[in-house]
Amino acid sequence: MKVFFQIFVSIICTLRLGWCQELLTEAESFDNPGGWVVDPQFVQQMGSPYLMAHGMGEPVADASTTVRFPEKGTYHIWVRTMNWAPGTWQAPGRFRLKIDDRSFEKQLGQRSGWGWEYVGAKEIQHNTVVLSLVDLTGFNGRCDAIYFSVEKEAPPASPQKVADWRMQLAQEPNAPEELQTYDLVVTGGGIAGCAAAIAAAEQGLKVALIHDRPVLGGNASSEIRVHTLGIYGHFERILKKLDTEHYPNGSAEAKLDQKKRDDNVKSYENIDLYLNWRAYDAVAENDSIRYVDARHTRTGKRKRFSAPYFVDSTGDGWIGFWAGADFSYGRESVNTYDEDWEEWGELWSPEEADNAVMGSSVLWGSKETETEQRFPEVPWALPVAKTYEEVNGEWQWEFSRNDLNQIDDAEAIRDHMLRAIYGSFANAKKDPKNATRKLEWVSYLVGKRESRRLVGDHVFTFNDAKKGTKFPDAVVQETREVDVHYQTVLENEQNPDFISEALFYKTPRYYIPYRSLYSKNIKNLFMAGRNFSTSHVGLGGPRVMRTTGQMGAAVGLAAVLCKKYDVNPRDIYTGYLEEYLDLIESQKYLKIPESKK
């Protein structure tokens, strides 16, 4: 979806009823976000990044910005927001709009589902005013945009109509006006994307690395805090620049590895790093991608990235999806690849294909203090948490359900996990032993395990791992067992639906072929990360981040040979495999002078 983000739009437009003044202010572009955070995770679903008051039960500092009105006068005001936990209780994410020194009485964030809430009318006596968002709860109130109009006519409601309306207001050109050209464009700055960028840059390619967060690492980042697992294969030198120590998932120690990772990637002159840029389109002609379009998550600025080769490390397979690449989602029938494990039956691989996948986690933790700590009542969270009580959340805090898509319903999945966390902690606080315990950290980003899987010339399966098949084009290796998750509520309906369990199948050392790392039908597209070419069960082992980092480094080197010989990824397998494998083997001994970074 091509959506419009901009600090503000101020226009005078001619309508059927005459001249009217309108002003649209995008919340994510506020001058001062205060304690609110910019959340761009769900742009493709709801249309825009937004500001969220992620205070873990304590109201956050006001967000504010200065806007200029086209004309003085009386304006009607709407705010695009939502009640993320509707019910018979007060909405958890309530906030107010403030203009200069006046705070409107109406509490916002009470509409079920994304839409426009009418605030009221306000006489604007000065061309320049200050808008503020005043958080009332600390429980994830969210604001997408504020709209002013002299006519009392609400903006469009549906996401697509809102997107078209925004573009019409802005009179924005269809294409970004700024074009950047590279040898390789990597989208997604997780461990796989970073490794791809480094491997290619060290061999002389000019690389763009596009990532929609302010820090690198994806699930390993200090924002999500999952430790890296797996072996290094041929790429220990590169992956040690990016991976983490084996601290507990959710540990604040992730910040130490974050600095190491960011500094190492930024040290390469051949890598242009685009932090806080989110890709929103990829266009292919004649089965080859011509460009990827991206937009800054706060300012709304757009860029077009052109290259002969692209790497999709988005996790969700967005670049391939937009370009028309073949992909799969969900669990195959047990008969598709003969992936049964009789002991676990349907929990491992079903008789009939379905849309079940491993779920997303939201990690969290609390700490002991020296004084008594209060925590608010959260009646809106208890329908999810029920009587479950806990003071920390590790990897088992995971949510997946067959009727929910890990991409299309990601916001609902994240919000379900927030209700589980706040409710379980509130329950635990009723125990006197937790009187001095304080909620310390809750991620607001979903740590995904599985969604789209792009299809390559080879689909890696459970049997490839179980047999330890040594492919002629093996470029990634792993010893970690195949690890598939399921929700414990499937075993006993009395279990909470947000807790998972893992099934581990011990395997010999196994190998992933290069043919699983480029698209079957898009000629110049590589993929690295959990969206590589694999079956559902096949993903269970190599989805961990040192393994996906190997994938990234492998495709980065493949892109080097593609550029050298002016060929496509498939041609490396058919015509240059020996040279490619030698290049990979050389990584064990390669030393990069500082001047080459």
Side-chain angles (χ1 to χ4, degrees):
M1 180 188 299
K2 296 181 176 71
V3 250
F4 166 70
F5 317 119
Q6 188 165 300
I7 295 179
F8 63 83
V9 177
S10 177
I11 64 170
I12 298 178
C13 61
T14 305
L15 297 181
R16 182 175 56 184
L17 297 179
W19 288 90
C20 79
Q21 289 81 45
E22 298 177 274
L23 185 147
L24 178 68
T25 300
E26 298 286 349
E28 69 273 12
S29 297
F30 268 35
D31 302 328
N32 175 20
W36 298 61
V37 296
V38 176
D39 190 343
Q41 296 174 94
F42 316 115
V43 168
Q44 274 71 34
Q45 291 75 45
M46 57 74 61
S48 172
Y50 56 81
L51 282 184
M52 184 166 67
H54 187 57
M56 298 179 293
E58 297 182 2
V60 304
D62 295 356
S64 62
T65 196
T66 300
V67 298
R68 178 174 293 276
F69 280 80
E71 299 286 343
K72 300 174 186 178
T74 299
Y75 286 80
H76 296 275
I77 308 166
W78 290 264
V79 173
R80 191 166 188 249
T81 181
M82 73 174 300
N83 177 1
W84 61 274
T88 57
W89 42 76
Q90 280 194 303
R94 302 184 311 282
F95 65 97
R96 285 192 172 102
L97 178 67
K98 183 178 177 182
I99 298 181
D100 290 333
D101 295 327
R102 179 193 167 185
S103 181
F104 288 87
E105 283 299 313
K106 182 176 177 61
Q107 294 188 9
L108 301 166
Q110 303 196 77
R111 182 193 188 281
S112 180
W114 279 104
W116 297 95
E117 291 188 39
Y118 183 66
V119 179
K122 165 73 173 172
E123 185 178 355
I124 302 299
Q125 298 178 337
H126 306 281
N127 290 108
T128 300
V129 302
V130 175
L131 301 183
S132 301
L133 303 177
V134 183
D135 179 30
L136 300 176
T137 69
F139 282 123
N140 302 88
R142 50 203 73 175
C143 178
D144 172 27
I146 302 102
Y147 173 64
F148 299 84
S149 175
V150 297
E151 299 290 337
K152 193 177 181 181
E153 183 176 346
S158 73
Q160 184 56 58
K161 289 182 178 179
V162 169
D164 294 342
W165 172 76
R166 277 170 153 147
M167 292 187 70
Q168 182 182 359
L169 282 180
Q171 298 180 336
E172 186 181 49
N174 289 331
E177 296 179 352
E178 185 173 346
L179 173 65
Q180 302 284 345
T181 302
Y182 291 90
D183 297 321
L184 180 67
V185 172
V186 180
T187 307
I191 301 298
C194 290
I198 288 176
E202 287 182 345
Q203 299 292 324
L205 266 59
K206 186 66 175 175
V207 181
L209 179 55
I210 305 168
H211 188 52
D212 65 353
R213 300 302 305 166
V215 294
L216 295 165
N219 282 350
S221 73
S222 59
E223 295 186 310
I224 298 179
R225 303 185 184 180
V226 177
H227 58 235
T228 57
L229 292 175
I231 65 174
Y232 294 112
H234 296 284
F235 306 107
E236 180 174 0
R237 179 185 56 80
I238 290 176
L239 296 182
K240 280 192 170 181
K241 296 174 181 285
L242 305 170
D243 68 348
T244 73
E245 298 295 331
H246 195 82
Y247 48 71
N249 288 320
S251 170
E253 293 180 36
K255 295 178 182 178
L256 302 177
D257 293 316
Q258 187 65 65
K259 185 177 188 312
K260 173 195 77 172
R261 182 182 310 116
D262 290 353
D263 288 348
N264 282 331
V265 174
K266 290 175 182 177
S267 72
Y268 287 88
E269 291 184 2
N270 271 15
I271 298 176
D272 284 350
L273 181 56
Y274 293 90
L275 293 176
N276 293 314
W277 286 81
R278 185 178 181 91
Y280 65 88
D281 199 11
V283 171
E285 292 181 1
N286 299 319
D287 299 326
S288 290
I289 298 176
R290 290 184 54 222
Y291 55 79
V292 166
D293 289 341
R295 195 187 293 272
H296 195 277
T297 57
R298 286 202 65 227
T299 68
K301 185 177 180 181
R302 298 188 301 162
K303 291 181 187 289
R304 174 162 289 177
F305 296 87
S306 176
Y309 310 105
F310 296 83
V311 178
D312 188 334
S313 290
T314 62
D316 286 334
W318 280 114
I319 304 306
F321 176 74
W322 289 321
D326 292 343
F327 69 93
S328 60
Y329 183 98
R331 303 192 301 175
E332 298 87 358
S333 162
V334 66
N335 298 316
T336 303
Y337 299 114
D338 190 26
E339 294 181 297
D340 69 300
W341 186 3
E342 186 175 348
E343 180 180 352
W344 293 104
E346 288 278 325
L347 288 178
W348 183 258
S349 191
E351 287 294 326
E352 295 185 7
D354 59 25
N355 286 323
V357 294
M358 288 179 280
S360 297
S361 286
V362 176
L363 302 182
W364 64 286
S366 63
K367 64 179 181 180
E368 287 286 357
T369 68
E370 296 181 354
T371 59
E372 184 174 349
Q373 302 290 327
R374 297 178 62 83
F375 191 72
E377 295 291 326
V378 289
W380 42 267
L382 298 182
V384 175
K386 299 179 181 175
T387 60
Y388 197 77
E389 55 184 83
E390 186 54 85
V391 295
N392 292 293
E394 249 269 16
W395 65 264
Q396 296 95 337
W397 285 68
E398 175 182 355
F399 185 50
S400 178
R401 208 170 64 202
N402 286 10
D403 63 330
L404 294 176
N405 183 286
Q406 293 288 321
I407 299 172
D408 298 337
D409 302 305
E411 187 174 21
I413 290 168
R414 189 274 309 275
D415 291 347
H416 189 87
M417 292 303 297
L418 290 180
R419 294 173 75 180
I421 291 166
Y422 294 137
S424 298
F425 186 70
N427 289 337
K429 286 290 290 179
K430 295 175 183 177
D431 190 327
K433 72 179 183 181
N434 294 319
T436 58
R437 187 166 282 275
K438 179 180 176 62
L439 198 55
E440 181 180 26
W441 175 79
V442 178
S443 179
Y444 62 92
L445 302 175
V446 286
K448 293 184 182 180
R449 288 177 176 83
E450 181 181 5
S451 54
R452 290 191 195 101
R453 305 183 301 274
L454 302 179
V455 179
D457 279 349
H458 179 84
V459 177
F460 181 81
T461 70
F462 172 50
N463 284 319
D464 292 333
K466 186 166 64 171
K467 297 175 183 177
T469 305
K470 185 65 161 63
F471 299 97
D473 57 332
V475 293
V476 174
Q477 53 187 292
E478 189 50 77
T479 58
R480 182 180 180 273
E481 57 266 84
V482 174
D483 161 20
V484 174
H485 291 198
Y486 67 93
Q487 302 300 132
T488 60
V489 71
L490 297 176
E491 289 186 310
N492 184 339
E493 63 181 13
Q494 299 304 312
N495 289 336
D497 67 359
F498 50 86
I499 298 296
S500 69
E501 189 50 81
L503 302 174
F504 293 94
Y505 189 100
K506 184 64 179 174
T507 65
R509 182 180 293 260
Y510 55 88
Y511 305 87
I512 296 173
Y514 169 65
R515 285 166 293 157
S516 295
L517 304 180
Y518 61 82
S519 172
K520 178 180 181 179
N521 66 308
I522 300 299
K523 298 174 184 176
N524 61 344
L525 177 63
F526 297 100
M527 53 267 196
R530 60 182 175 83
N531 55 250
F532 85 108
S533 180
T534 182
S535 67
H536 162 74
V537 182
L539 182 65
R543 62 185 170 78
V544 295
M545 285 180 278
R546 287 196 186 112
T547 323
T548 61
Q550 291 185 59
M551 298 178 198
V555 301
L557 295 180
V560 172
L561 294 184
C562 285
K563 177 73 184 307
K564 178 180 178 179
Y565 294 109
D566 190 23
V567 296
N568 285 322
R570 180 178 286 114
D571 298 318
I572 300 302
Y573 173 71
T574 58
Y576 304 90
L577 184 58
E578 184 176 354
E579 182 177 356
Y580 177 42
L581 295 178
D582 286 345
L583 181 59
I584 288 176
E585 183 70 23
S586 73
Q587 296 302 299
K588 295 180 182 178
Y589 317 105
L590 188 66
K591 294 186 182 298
I592 303 297
E594 286 298 318
S595 61
K596 291 290 184 76
K597 288 186 179 179

